[in-house]
Amino acid sequence: MFTANFNNLILNSDSYKTSHWLQYPPDSEYMSSYVEARKGDYDVVFFGLQAFIKEYLNKPITTADIDDAELVIKAHGLPFNRSGWERLVEKHNGYLPIRIQAVPEGSLVPVSNVVCQIINTDPEFYWLPSYLETSLLRAIWYPSTVASLSYYCKNIIKAALEKSADSSAGLPFKLHDFGARGASSMESVALGSLAHLVNFSGTDSMTALVAASRWYGMSDNMPAFSIPAAEHSTMTAWGRERETQAYANMLDQFGGEGHMVAVVSDSYDLWNAIDNIWGDALKQQVETMGGTLVVRPDSGDPAKVVREALERLSVKFGYRVNSKGYKVLPDYVRLIQGDGINPQSLGKILDTIMQAGFSADNVTFGMGGGLLQQVNRDTMSWAMKASAIRIDGEWKDIFKDPITSRSKRSKKGRLALIKQTNGTLTTIKEDSLNSPEDNLLRDVFVDGKLLVDDNLTTIRQRTGW
């Protein structure tokens, strides 16, 4: 029986990678690989590389790591490159002799463009860049996909606000992260929820706050906020016959000047809750508490329920018509829809309520599984592919071009990303650069050292925050 360090980088790879050092041509010296999202419905918002480097690459490989990995890999039925890893410890003190280039985190890049590139810096370790594919690609595709999806949703909401609201100032709080319980692991929450915070300032994932401090320098100021909110258990614990008292308690406990409180209101009958409890029994308290009640439906067809809820709330509490000609509820009452939200339903809800004459300013959204869990590597067809190798002093382009799937054709050569005169970002070969300064890929990690340490505020600014 063996035990191994869970964070052993040598074991953070696919099994077949352990045999690849024996498969490259003789006299191989340097291997260059790149990462791209090959296709998808969204532009790439690049994010997450810095977190991976700080968590896994900033510390050296040790002899203990090698010993543990050898036990596991040989017992697993595979060859182990012990001499190669020992040489890395001997020659580089365990720090990885690699160079990672990438676009700045928070950059918007059209799909089918290079966003990251890796090459070894010591010819003895030609096998190392591809060995890191499993961990490096995963470190990029998941948070970048979540950040890209979140940004896409932000633009849907922004367009609705620009059409139907007097101001878009509340946009950073219009999509709240409800995904912590539905994510596959705490690290998924840390990376995914933090990726959402590139675009928004609302989350119920406290793990993301810790992650921001750990990886993106946000220890001095808070990157996201939440408000007191009810769940079904805190409402149903009062019993159906005391539903009014349950709601009144929420206002008593959390109401007040400048305060917001969200109350799930569909435990029994949402329409009764709006018409007879919020809009009648507790109406005066809602109107005079000084803060904002946020009514939360949590079931039914989202577009239909949100529209009807707004209509009923407007009957009970009234509304004003803004400069765009859309109805806006009084400031002391709003609605949040957190059930069934994804990019498609989000657009449908906003279209439905605006067609009914209501401003998007009336509604906030919460997104859970649709944000953090209903994505995978194929959502944007992420891949890391080798594109160039130097053998005995000569560089050669390498690529794949399967006749059975042209969509999997890979790029050739050492790559660069440039901005054309019309503003379009385009991938070209590095040797086609007019000037090295034209390359938007920058050195991020070289020979064990992190060269760029961005904070979340800087990354947000790159998305047009």
Side-chain angles (χ1 to χ4, degrees), residues 97-120:
I98 58 172
R99 176 190 183 196
I100 299 176
Q101 298 171 288
V103 296
E105 297 200 24
S107 295
L108 298 170
V109 182
V111 294
S112 195
N113 280 292
V114 58
V115 294
C116 179
Q117 188 166 233
I118 180 173
I119 189 172
N120 55 299

mmCIF file of all heavy atoms in Angstrom, residues 97-120:
data_model
loop_
_atom_site.group_PDB
_atom_site.id
_atom_site.type_symbol
_atom_site.label_atom_id
_atom_site.label_comp_id
_atom_site.label_asym_id
_atom_site.label_seq_id
_atom_site.Cartn_x
_atom_site.Cartn_y
_atom_site.Cartn_z
ATOM 1 N N PRO A 97 12.016 24.278 -15.483
ATOM 2 C CA PRO A 97 12.667 25.063 -16.531
ATOM 3 C C PRO A 97 11.733 25.237 -17.738
ATOM 4 O O PRO A 97 11.922 24.644 -18.792
ATOM 5 C CB PRO A 97 13.897 24.224 -16.882
ATOM 6 C CG PRO A 97 13.459 22.810 -16.633
ATOM 7 C CD PRO A 97 12.503 22.881 -15.462
ATOM 8 N N ILE A 98 10.735 26.048 -17.543
ATOM 9 C CA ILE A 98 9.747 26.297 -18.594
ATOM 10 C C ILE A 98 9.467 27.796 -18.670
ATOM 11 O O ILE A 98 9.700 28.540 -17.716
ATOM 12 C CB ILE A 98 8.413 25.547 -18.357
ATOM 13 C CG1 ILE A 98 7.806 25.934 -17.011
ATOM 14 C CG2 ILE A 98 8.602 24.042 -18.480
ATOM 15 C CD1 ILE A 98 6.404 25.392 -16.781
ATOM 16 N N ARG A 99 8.958 28.192 -19.817
ATOM 17 C CA ARG A 99 8.512 29.566 -20.038
ATOM 18 C C ARG A 99 7.043 29.511 -20.437
ATOM 19 O O ARG A 99 6.685 28.824 -21.397
ATOM 20 C CB ARG A 99 9.326 30.210 -21.155
ATOM 21 C CG ARG A 99 8.885 31.620 -21.545
ATOM 22 C CD ARG A 99 9.599 32.052 -22.819
ATOM 23 N NE ARG A 99 9.271 33.415 -23.211
ATOM 24 C CZ ARG A 99 9.508 33.914 -24.432
ATOM 25 N NH1 ARG A 99 10.057 33.144 -25.364
ATOM 26 N NH2 ARG A 99 9.187 35.163 -24.714
ATOM 27 N N ILE A 100 6.201 30.195 -19.680
ATOM 28 C CA ILE A 100 4.774 30.282 -20.004
ATOM 29 C C ILE A 100 4.466 31.717 -20.393
ATOM 30 O O ILE A 100 4.732 32.652 -19.637
ATOM 31 C CB ILE A 100 3.888 29.859 -18.819
ATOM 32 C CG1 ILE A 100 4.166 28.410 -18.415
ATOM 33 C CG2 ILE A 100 2.408 30.020 -19.172
ATOM 34 C CD1 ILE A 100 3.389 27.948 -17.183
ATOM 35 N N GLN A 101 3.932 31.872 -21.585
ATOM 36 C CA GLN A 101 3.443 33.173 -22.056
ATOM 37 C C GLN A 101 1.921 33.126 -22.095
ATOM 38 O O GLN A 101 1.328 32.080 -22.354
ATOM 39 C CB GLN A 101 3.947 33.474 -23.464
ATOM 40 C CG GLN A 101 5.435 33.574 -23.637
ATOM 41 C CD GLN A 101 5.774 33.653 -25.117
ATOM 42 O OE1 GLN A 101 5.667 32.676 -25.834
ATOM 43 N NE2 GLN A 101 6.174 34.840 -25.566
ATOM 44 N N ALA A 102 1.304 34.263 -21.877
ATOM 45 C CA ALA A 102 -0.161 34.310 -21.941
ATOM 46 C C ALA A 102 -0.618 35.734 -22.152
ATOM 47 O O ALA A 102 0.117 36.696 -21.877
ATOM 48 C CB ALA A 102 -0.776 33.752 -20.662
ATOM 49 N N VAL A 103 -1.843 35.876 -22.631
ATOM 50 C CA VAL A 103 -2.456 37.196 -22.671
ATOM 51 C C VAL A 103 -2.738 37.635 -21.235
ATOM 52 O O VAL A 103 -2.892 36.795 -20.345
ATOM 53 C CB VAL A 103 -3.761 37.188 -23.498
ATOM 54 C CG1 VAL A 103 -3.482 36.844 -24.947
ATOM 55 C CG2 VAL A 103 -4.786 36.217 -22.907
ATOM 56 N N PRO A 104 -2.806 38.910 -20.967
ATOM 57 C CA PRO A 104 -3.146 39.365 -19.620
ATOM 58 C C PRO A 104 -4.510 38.826 -19.182
ATOM 59 O O PRO A 104 -5.452 38.772 -19.981
ATOM 60 C CB PRO A 104 -3.175 40.893 -19.759
ATOM 61 C CG PRO A 104 -2.272 41.175 -20.922
ATOM 62 C CD PRO A 104 -2.476 40.040 -21.865
ATOM 63 N N GLU A 105 -4.612 38.409 -17.946
ATOM 64 C CA GLU A 105 -5.887 37.880 -17.457
ATOM 65 C C GLU A 105 -6.941 38.980 -17.470
ATOM 66 O O GLU A 105 -6.684 40.132 -17.126
ATOM 67 C CB GLU A 105 -5.718 37.290 -16.055
ATOM 68 C CG GLU A 105 -4.754 36.117 -16.062
ATOM 69 C CD GLU A 105 -4.892 35.195 -14.871
ATOM 70 O OE1 GLU A 105 -5.975 35.147 -14.250
ATOM 71 O OE2 GLU A 105 -3.903 34.504 -14.566
ATOM 72 N N GLY A 106 -8.137 38.606 -17.908
ATOM 73 C CA GLY A 106 -9.199 39.560 -18.133
ATOM 74 C C GLY A 106 -9.286 40.025 -19.568
ATOM 75 O O GLY A 106 -10.226 40.739 -19.939
ATOM 76 N N SER A 107 -8.312 39.625 -20.402
ATOM 77 C CA SER A 107 -8.342 39.993 -21.819
ATOM 78 C C SER A 107 -9.505 39.317 -22.524
ATOM 79 O O SER A 107 -9.838 38.163 -22.235
ATOM 80 C CB SER A 107 -7.038 39.581 -22.511
ATOM 81 O OG SER A 107 -5.933 40.283 -22.005
ATOM 82 N N LEU A 108 -10.106 40.031 -23.470
ATOM 83 C CA LEU A 108 -11.162 39.488 -24.324
ATOM 84 C C LEU A 108 -10.527 39.066 -25.637
ATOM 85 O O LEU A 108 -9.942 39.895 -26.350
ATOM 86 C CB LEU A 108 -12.238 40.534 -24.579
ATOM 87 C CG LEU A 108 -12.998 41.040 -23.355
ATOM 88 C CD1 LEU A 108 -13.859 42.239 -23.729
ATOM 89 C CD2 LEU A 108 -13.861 39.935 -22.782
ATOM 90 N N VAL A 109 -10.643 37.792 -25.955
ATOM 91 C CA VAL A 109 -10.000 37.240 -27.140
ATOM 92 C C VAL A 109 -11.023 36.410 -27.909
ATOM 93 O O VAL A 109 -11.656 35.523 -27.334
ATOM 94 C CB VAL A 109 -8.794 36.359 -26.755
ATOM 95 C CG1 VAL A 109 -8.096 35.826 -28.002
ATOM 96 C CG2 VAL A 109 -7.805 37.127 -25.881
ATOM 97 N N PRO A 110 -11.197 36.650 -29.201
ATOM 98 C CA PRO A 110 -12.101 35.805 -29.983
ATOM 99 C C PRO A 110 -11.637 34.345 -29.958
ATOM 100 O O PRO A 110 -10.432 34.064 -29.852
ATOM 101 C CB PRO A 110 -12.007 36.384 -31.394
ATOM 102 C CG PRO A 110 -11.513 37.781 -31.209
ATOM 103 C CD PRO A 110 -10.623 37.741 -30.010
ATOM 104 N N VAL A 111 -12.580 33.417 -30.033
ATOM 105 C CA VAL A 111 -12.220 32.002 -30.057
ATOM 106 C C VAL A 111 -11.325 31.704 -31.247
ATOM 107 O O VAL A 111 -11.251 32.482 -32.203
ATOM 108 C CB VAL A 111 -13.471 31.092 -30.088
ATOM 109 C CG1 VAL A 111 -14.255 31.214 -28.805
ATOM 110 C CG2 VAL A 111 -14.337 31.396 -31.303
ATOM 111 N N SER A 112 -10.645 30.588 -31.167
ATOM 112 C CA SER A 112 -9.709 30.131 -32.204
ATOM 113 C C SER A 112 -8.464 30.992 -32.278
ATOM 114 O O SER A 112 -7.867 31.160 -33.343
ATOM 115 C CB SER A 112 -10.384 30.064 -33.586
ATOM 116 O OG SER A 112 -9.602 29.325 -34.491
ATOM 117 N N ASN A 113 -8.056 31.523 -31.119
ATOM 118 C CA ASN A 113 -6.803 32.262 -31.017
ATOM 119 C C ASN A 113 -5.991 31.750 -29.833
ATOM 120 O O ASN A 113 -6.556 31.333 -28.806
ATOM 121 C CB ASN A 113 -7.059 33.757 -30.831
ATOM 122 C CG ASN A 113 -7.377 34.458 -32.130
ATOM 123 O OD1 ASN A 113 -6.526 34.589 -33.009
ATOM 124 N ND2 ASN A 113 -8.616 34.889 -32.276
ATOM 125 N N VAL A 114 -4.678 31.802 -29.965
ATOM 126 C CA VAL A 114 -3.807 31.406 -28.870
ATOM 127 C C VAL A 114 -4.007 32.356 -27.689
ATOM 128 O O VAL A 114 -4.097 33.574 -27.862
ATOM 129 C CB VAL A 114 -2.328 31.401 -29.326
ATOM 130 C CG1 VAL A 114 -1.897 32.761 -29.839
ATOM 131 C CG2 VAL A 114 -1.412 30.949 -28.197
ATOM 132 N N VAL A 115 -4.105 31.803 -26.481
ATOM 133 C CA VAL A 115 -4.175 32.624 -25.270
ATOM 134 C C VAL A 115 -3.025 32.309 -24.319
ATOM 135 O O VAL A 115 -2.744 33.072 -23.402
ATOM 136 C CB VAL A 115 -5.525 32.457 -24.528
ATOM 137 C CG1 VAL A 115 -6.669 32.994 -25.366
ATOM 138 C CG2 VAL A 115 -5.773 31.001 -24.143
ATOM 139 N N CYS A 116 -2.360 31.158 -24.550
ATOM 140 C CA CYS A 116 -1.268 30.743 -23.668
ATOM 141 C C CYS A 116 -0.310 29.876 -24.479
ATOM 142 O O CYS A 116 -0.738 29.136 -25.379
ATOM 143 C CB CYS A 116 -1.826 29.971 -22.477
ATOM 144 S SG CYS A 116 -0.588 29.370 -21.288
ATOM 145 N N GLN A 117 0.978 29.953 -24.158
ATOM 146 C CA GLN A 117 1.983 29.168 -24.859
ATOM 147 C C GLN A 117 3.062 28.750 -23.865
ATOM 148 O O GLN A 117 3.452 29.534 -22.999
ATOM 149 C CB GLN A 117 2.589 30.001 -25.997
ATOM 150 C CG GLN A 117 3.508 29.247 -26.911
ATOM 151 C CD GLN A 117 3.785 30.039 -28.185
ATOM 152 O OE1 GLN A 117 3.612 29.548 -29.285
ATOM 153 N NE2 GLN A 117 4.245 31.275 -28.049
ATOM 154 N N ILE A 118 3.538 27.526 -23.984
ATOM 155 C CA ILE A 118 4.523 26.995 -23.047
ATOM 156 C C ILE A 118 5.654 26.330 -23.811
ATOM 157 O O ILE A 118 5.430 25.673 -24.837
ATOM 158 C CB ILE A 118 3.876 26.009 -22.050
ATOM 159 C CG1 ILE A 118 4.926 25.447 -21.072
ATOM 160 C CG2 ILE A 118 3.133 24.897 -22.752
ATOM 161 C CD1 ILE A 118 4.331 24.603 -19.949
ATOM 162 N N ILE A 119 6.892 26.523 -23.334
ATOM 163 C CA ILE A 119 8.071 25.907 -23.932
ATOM 164 C C ILE A 119 9.080 25.647 -22.821
ATOM 165 O O ILE A 119 9.111 26.373 -21.819
ATOM 166 C CB ILE A 119 8.681 26.832 -25.021
ATOM 167 C CG1 ILE A 119 9.772 26.112 -25.804
ATOM 168 C CG2 ILE A 119 9.175 28.136 -24.425
ATOM 169 C CD1 ILE A 119 10.285 26.897 -27.006
ATOM 170 N N ASN A 120 9.873 24.612 -22.968
ATOM 171 C CA ASN A 120 10.951 24.374 -22.012
ATOM 172 C C ASN A 120 12.103 25.328 -22.293
ATOM 173 O O ASN A 120 12.314 25.776 -23.430
ATOM 174 C CB ASN A 120 11.430 22.929 -22.051
ATOM 175 C CG ASN A 120 11.858 22.476 -23.437
ATOM 176 O OD1 ASN A 120 11.039 22.472 -24.359
ATOM 177 N ND2 ASN A 120 13.126 22.089 -23.590
#
